[in-house]
Amino acid sequence: DVQLVESGGGSVRPGGSLTLSCAASGYGFSGMCMGWFRQAPGKEREGVAAIYAGGRYYADSVKGRFTISKDNAKNTLYLQMNSLKPEDTAIYHCAASVWAMLSLGVSNFHYWGQGTQVTVS
């Protein structure tokens, strides 16, 4: 199994920046597709960014503002968020997929963290 713990959320003004971290434990972090997802109140969970085998995939709503990265030596996934907007307000979750492909589909991810709140206002 893989355990995921997010940190780094908080409150920020529009235009501000935050960096989220996700510490992973368990087997296989370096070879997994890892992703960030978010869920706002009353909305479905949506994919934000994913990283796998050197490739990155971003939702259109965050392209040019968010950057996903991972440090395999530290078993840590990051999400650098710049130019934050009120509509970015949500609980952000990191997730891991056991499938060898780059994807942002919620159903393709098998392990989930508890999430960290990001509020932009």
Side-chain angles (χ1 to χ4, degrees), residues 14-64:
S17 298
L18 281 174
T19 299
L20 305 183
S21 300
C22 173
S25 59
Y27 176 77
F29 173 80
S30 62
M32 286 183 160
C33 175
M34 301 294 298
W36 286 99
F37 295 78
R38 66 187 181 187
Q39 188 164 17
K43 294 188 177 181
E44 292 187 355
R45 189 169 296 188
E46 63 173 356
V48 174
I51 184 168
Y52 173 71
R56 292 167 174 81
Y57 184 36
Y58 296 95
D60 288 344
S61 59
V62 306
K63 280 180 182 176

Side-chain angles (χ1 to χ4, degrees), residues 6 10 12 19-20 30 60 72 77-78 89 92 95 97 110 119 121:
E6 303 93 338
V12 65
T19 299
L20 305 183
S30 62
D60 288 344
N72 290 331
L77 179 73
Y78 301 99
T89 295
Y92 283 71
S97 172
H110 308 92
T119 302
S121 64

Side-chain angles (χ1 to χ4, degrees), residues 44-113:
E44 292 187 355
R45 189 169 296 188
E46 63 173 356
V48 174
I51 184 168
Y52 173 71
R56 292 167 174 81
Y57 184 36
Y58 296 95
D60 288 344
S61 59
V62 306
K63 280 180 182 176
R65 300 189 298 122
F66 290 11
T67 302
I68 188 171
S69 61
K70 60 187 300 197
D71 186 332
N72 290 331
K74 296 182 178 180
N75 275 12
T76 303
L77 179 73
Y78 301 99
L79 185 68
Q80 173 68 44
M81 305 185 294
N82 298 326
S83 302
L84 283 161
K85 305 175 181 180
E87 51 263 43
D88 294 318
T89 295
I91 297 175
Y92 283 71
H93 301 265
C94 71
S97 172
V98 301
W99 292 341
M101 65 178 189
L102 183 63
S103 170
L104 263 183
V106 173
S107 61
N108 292 332
F109 285 76
H110 308 92
Y111 301 100
W112 293 86

